[in-house]
Amino acid sequence: MFSCWLSRLCGELSTPTRRTTQLIWSSAARSMVLSSQRIPELSSFVARTNTCGELRSSHLGQEVTLCGWIQFRRQNIFLVLRDFHGLVQVVIPQDESAASVKKILCEAPMESVVQVSGTVISRPPGQKNPKMPTGEIEIKVKTAKLLNSCKKLPFEIKDFMKKTETLRLQYRYLDLRSVQMQYNLRLRSQMVMKMREYLCNLHGFVDVETPTLFKRTPGGAKEFVIPSREPGKFYSLPQSPQQFKQLLMVGGLDRYFQVARCYRDEGSRPDRQPEFTQIDIEMSFVDQTGVQSLIEGLLQYSWPSDKDPLVVPFPSMPFAEALASYGTDKPDTRFGMKIVDVSDMFRNTEVGFLQDALSKPQGTVKAICIRKGAKYLKRKDIESIRKFAADRFNEEVLPIFLKTNENWNSPVAKFIMEEQGLGLVKLLETQEEDMVLLTAGEHKKACSLMGKLRLECADLLEARGVVLRDPALFSFLWVVDFPLFLPKEENPQELESAHHPFTAPHPSDIHLLYTEPHKVRSQHYDLVLNGNEIGGGSIRIHNSELQHYVLDTVLKEDVKLLSHLLQALDYGAPPHGGIALGLDRLMCLVTGAPSIRDVIAFPKSFRGHDLMSNAPDSIPPEELKPYHIQVSWPMDAETEKSSSNHPCRSES
């Protein structure tokens, strides 16, 4: 059976005929199959007999009552009524006996809400619209009621209308009426329902809600702090249910999942949200392969039917290979342009910056071949790439063309082509219109730089019409064998968790934990889709002594903050592991939306603000008193200068 959302609504109308107007509908009707064998009763409990999108020729002669918004009206002869299910054409009565009905339907502004009752009739010959699901019929209205009139809108609710994101977020309740937002949210709902069905009904998982008022915990992203009425004591909003789901395994739940709300106080970060949703999963007595197989089956089962079916199992790639070949732990494998190590080719080079790099530990020379780069990239593009490398990585990038006369007065590039040209051509399999980017430096840094440039060049080429990344292709990839620890950026002598402090070390490397912890691999795995991380998980440490050692000795964290977890692990904790899928990011990629804000009903802005309600908002001082909080207000330059001359000034 098909879902109620049979196809995308249209926003504009094409050239009208004598009595009717052809409606522009998406050429690809979007249908999603529900597991239930029953068609949902979309008009139960409400003041309508049918939805606007369900009437067909099989309903001819039936008396119906419809409710919806006025989408379009022409010549006061007919109007198009819209609801969540679709569009239907309504014939406005012209005889004097129905003057009151005509007045309501002709005078109501666009987007007003009306209820109409009438008879389903066939459209006249030649007036049927094959692009519209209800295009064979129309409604001959007998009665009408204006349920609510609409004032002038801040923008038109049509797909072709350009609206700034700020305006869309300010009037989100209007933006939600759009075709794309309706599709995105309904697809999200159906995929989540299928996921629940797969996990609960087919594999025996238990849906458990975990607290959102918790305590501050070490490691990971910064948490939001919530004041309590006890002086100096605060709650924290958990950045994930990580500890709770591990405790559920200790409690014998065996298989847990949750559509979990999570919170991270990350400030202004592009395409991130301070509150977001995860499909959170944990299992007892499982290994890495078991978790990966579960997720592959989950996605395959819940995948939209209007997309190409997923092929499982997904390919897997070690972290070291991902970094070496793509410069990132979330590679986009839809196109080539891999990073190639050409160090051996330049061992005896006379080029200074290459010599310097190779003389240092971990020093390498890296190259990528930009297909058709010589044809499509302009000199300003190359200069922009070189500036990016210098500003962001403090590295030099050398563009090299196969034809030495195209190397723009670069004696170094010309020299390399004369000295190592044939070797580069053979190793990189370059062709006449290709361009090579060359850099040198410490392995990880050089790979990261080339990974960024690989994506930047792909963007530039696609902006010039070169097709590299098929938007209809969904390229899933497991990235595995991550390091368990990484050096801290602010203090490289100390270590921090690459994933989180509860991740178990790789069985083959556990002996290194006590001698060379920086060399230990982890049982951590990420799921990547088209260059985006959409999920991450691990097998957990279930031994209390090992967990205490990692927290206290390796990470130097305050173990008292996690005493509840350490104690629980001492009381017969089973081996366990799990994963969390980022639902917002997954839906963004599935729908092709430009931002995760387009798959969330009421998102925050780039700066974390709700532009519709103006949250966050200030609170009067008297309401802060029960929480023992005083606000130290920021001062402008003049006030600050004045206060500096009065050291006894107290803060309010």
Side-chain angles (χ1 to χ4, degrees):
M1 293 296 182
F2 291 101
S3 74
C4 61
W5 189 251
L6 296 176
S7 57
R8 299 182 64 187
L9 300 176
C10 71
E12 180 54 289
L13 307 175
S14 63
T15 305
T17 57
R18 183 174 57 86
R19 286 198 58 200
T20 188
T21 301
Q22 295 286 331
L23 299 172
I24 299 176
W25 282 77
S26 169
S27 59
R30 297 185 169 184
S31 301
M32 294 166 283
V33 179
L34 288 173
S35 61
S36 171
Q37 297 303 307
R38 294 172 59 94
I39 297 177
E41 296 181 2
L42 303 177
S43 296
S44 52
F45 317 118
V46 295
R48 63 172 181 246
T49 62
N50 300 85
T51 64
C52 295
E54 71 176 290
L55 297 174
R56 303 288 189 272
S57 295
S58 58
H59 296 90
L60 288 175
Q62 290 187 13
E63 297 295 317
V64 298
T65 298
L66 309 176
C67 299
W69 287 264
I70 298 176
Q71 167 110 352
F72 183 82
R73 181 171 49 232
R74 183 167 182 81
Q75 297 176 345
N76 289 344
I77 296 175
F78 65 85
L79 60 80
V80 173
L81 197 64
R82 182 193 78 243
D83 65 9
F84 72 96
H85 197 199
L87 307 174
V88 68
Q89 182 164 282
V90 172
V91 180
I92 302 173
Q94 302 297 309
D95 49 297
E96 292 185 9
S97 62
S100 60
V101 174
K102 181 178 180 180
K103 178 179 174 65
I104 290 172
L105 298 181
C106 291
E107 294 182 2
M110 295 298 103
E111 291 300 313
S112 293
V113 187
V114 297
Q115 180 186 75
V116 298
S117 296
T119 307
V120 181
I121 61 174
S122 181
R123 292 196 187 190
Q127 304 302 317
K128 296 181 180 181
N129 185 352
K131 296 181 180 180
M132 185 175 175
T134 61
E136 294 185 350
I137 59 94
E138 56 192 10
I139 310 301
K140 184 178 181 181
V141 175
K142 295 179 180 178
T143 63
K145 185 186 296 185
L146 178 63
L147 301 178
N148 207 343
S149 182
C150 181
K151 293 183 178 180
K152 181 175 175 57
L153 298 174
F155 52 78
E156 292 187 62
I157 303 172
K158 295 178 180 178
D159 274 354
F160 68 88
M161 293 299 295
K162 298 292 185 182
K163 300 167 290 215
T164 65
E165 186 174 62
T166 298
L167 197 62
R168 290 179 58 205
L169 294 181
Q170 185 179 354
Y171 297 95
R172 189 58 160 188
Y173 43 85
L174 296 178
D175 188 52
L176 290 175
R177 296 183 194 174
S178 69
V179 173
Q180 194 61 54
M181 286 304 302
Q182 287 279 319
Y183 172 72
N184 291 352
L185 294 181
R186 292 179 187 281
L187 178 60
R188 176 175 175 141
S189 172
Q190 291 206 2
M191 284 191 69
V192 169
M193 184 59 69
K194 296 284 285 183
M195 289 179 179
R196 289 184 184 277
E197 182 180 88
Y198 181 84
L199 292 169
C200 288
N201 296 354
L202 300 185
H203 294 284
F205 280 77
V206 183
D207 185 352
V208 182
E209 294 179 355
T210 55
T212 52
L213 290 179
F214 194 38
K215 63 181 289 186
R216 183 176 64 87
T217 55
K222 191 174 181 180
E223 297 166 336
F224 284 100
V225 173
I226 307 296
S228 77
R229 291 176 181 267
E230 296 185 46
K233 294 189 176 181
F234 298 83
Y235 297 105
S236 285
L237 297 181
Q239 51 187 294
S240 80
Q242 180 61 46
Q243 294 179 54
F244 291 112
K245 64 182 183 178
Q246 289 192 244
L247 294 171
L248 288 170
M249 297 303 102
V250 178
L253 266 289
D254 193 78
R255 294 185 168 206
Y256 143 92
F257 92 97
Q258 182 183 187
V259 182
R261 297 295 285 170
C262 305
Y263 308 88
R264 291 179 186 172
D265 188 8
E266 297 182 311
S268 301
R269 298 187 63 177
D271 215 22
R272 293 283 185 94
Q273 287 284 290
E275 52 181 332
F276 55 97
T277 306
Q278 289 181 345
I279 304 297
D280 201 50
I281 295 172
E282 196 79 5
M283 303 168 69
S284 294
F285 313 109
V286 72
D287 60 12
Q288 178 172 313
T289 302
V291 176
Q292 291 176 345
S293 296
L294 168 75
I295 295 304
E296 290 168 355
L298 175 72
L299 289 171
Q300 191 177 46
Y301 187 86
S302 61
W303 200 246
S305 61
D306 63 341
K307 313 291 183 187
D308 290 337
L310 297 185
V311 177
V312 298
F314 301 150
S316 182
M317 180 182 297
F319 165 79
E321 180 184 340
L323 180 65
S325 297
Y326 297 94
T328 177
D329 59 0
K330 43 183 182 290
D332 189 340
T333 54
R334 289 176 295 174
F335 68 107
M337 287 167 49
K338 290 184 180 181
I339 302 167
V340 178
D341 191 309
V342 294
S343 302
D344 290 342
M345 192 179 300
F346 291 94
R347 293 294 176 191
N348 299 316
T349 185
E350 297 179 11
V351 178
F353 85 100
L354 299 179
Q355 278 184 337
D356 291 342
L358 291 173
S359 67
K360 296 175 183 176
Q362 294 290 311
T364 60
V365 181
K366 305 291 185 183
I368 55 174
C369 177
I370 311 301
R371 303 298 179 195
K372 306 288 186 180
K375 179 179 180 181
Y376 290 103
L377 296 187
K378 302 174 182 177
R379 182 174 296 203
K380 66 176 183 179
D381 298 326
I382 306 302
E383 294 306 317
S384 175
I385 287 170
R386 300 188 72 179
K387 186 176 186 304
F388 172 85
D391 293 346
R392 292 279 299 274
F393 288 82
N394 194 30
E395 294 282 356
E396 183 174 353
V397 170
L398 189 65
I400 301 175
F401 298 89
L402 300 187
K403 297 178 180 178
T404 56
N405 63 333
E406 291 184 3
N407 281 302
W408 303 331
N409 302 320
S410 172
V412 174
K414 291 180 179 178
F415 177 75
I416 288 175
M417 276 308 299
E418 292 169 358
E419 189 181 47
Q420 282 91 12
L422 289 177
L424 280 175
V425 169
K426 184 177 181 180
L427 188 62
L428 299 176
E429 298 180 351
T430 55
Q431 299 175 4
E432 186 173 339
E433 293 183 325
D434 296 344
M435 178 187 74
V436 174
L437 291 181
L438 201 71
T439 193
E442 186 271 329
H443 171 72
K444 183 177 179 181
K445 188 176 180 182
C447 288
S448 296
L449 168 59
M450 296 304 259
K452 296 282 188 185
L453 296 184
R454 173 179 179 266
L455 296 176
E456 179 66 22
C457 289
D459 289 340
L460 289 170
L461 289 174
E462 289 186 333
R464 309 272 154 74
V466 180
V467 179
L468 286 178
R469 295 166 288 196
D470 182 356
L473 177 64
F474 294 94
S475 182
F476 285 92
L477 174 72
W478 289 107
V479 179
V480 299
D481 290 344
F482 284 84
L484 186 59
F485 307 110
L486 293 172
K488 288 184 177 179
E489 286 189 17
E490 64 275 13
N491 185 3
Q493 302 305 314
E494 295 184 2
L495 297 176
E496 62 183 0
S497 296
H499 186 44
H500 59 55
F502 315 115
T503 301
H506 195 286
S508 302
D509 295 350
I510 197 164
H511 64 285
L512 297 172
L513 186 64
Y514 305 98
T515 56
E516 299 176 286
H518 59 282
K519 293 184 178 180
V520 179
R521 291 171 297 164
S522 69
Q523 295 189 68
H524 163 205
Y525 33 85
D526 278 353
L527 183 59
V528 175
L529 173 58
N530 294 355
N532 296 268
E533 180 192 334
I534 62 164
S538 67
I539 302 303
R540 323 301 186 189
I541 298 173
H542 68 280
N543 178 278
S544 180
E545 290 184 7
L546 180 59
Q547 183 67 81
H548 189 284
Y549 180 84
V550 168
L551 289 168
D552 184 45
T553 306
V554 180
L555 299 177
K556 304 185 185 329
E557 297 283 3
D558 183 359
V559 293
K560 293 179 182 178
L561 293 173
L562 292 166
S563 59
H564 57 283
L565 178 63
L566 292 170
Q567 185 180 51
L569 295 180
D570 259 336
Y571 292 152
H576 57 281
I579 193 170
L581 297 179
L583 182 61
D584 307 313
R585 182 76 57 202
L586 173 63
M587 294 310 307
C588 179
L589 295 169
V590 169
T591 60
S595 164
I596 62 171
R597 291 183 284 276
D598 290 320
V599 296
I600 301 172
F602 297 100
K604 302 294 189 293
S605 71
F606 168 73
R607 298 189 179 278
H609 294 165
D610 180 349
L611 303 183
M612 185 179 61
S613 66
N614 289 322
D617 203 357
S618 57
I619 295 178
E622 59 270 18
E623 292 186 21
L624 290 176
K625 285 183 179 179
Y627 300 103
H628 312 279
I629 290 176
Q630 289 182 318
V631 176
S632 178
W633 298 102
M635 297 179 292
D636 59 30
E638 283 297 317
T639 307
E640 190 171 1
K641 182 178 179 181
S642 175
S643 65
S644 66
N645 298 323
H646 297 81
C648 295
R649 177 185 179 274
S650 61
E651 289 187 344
S652 58

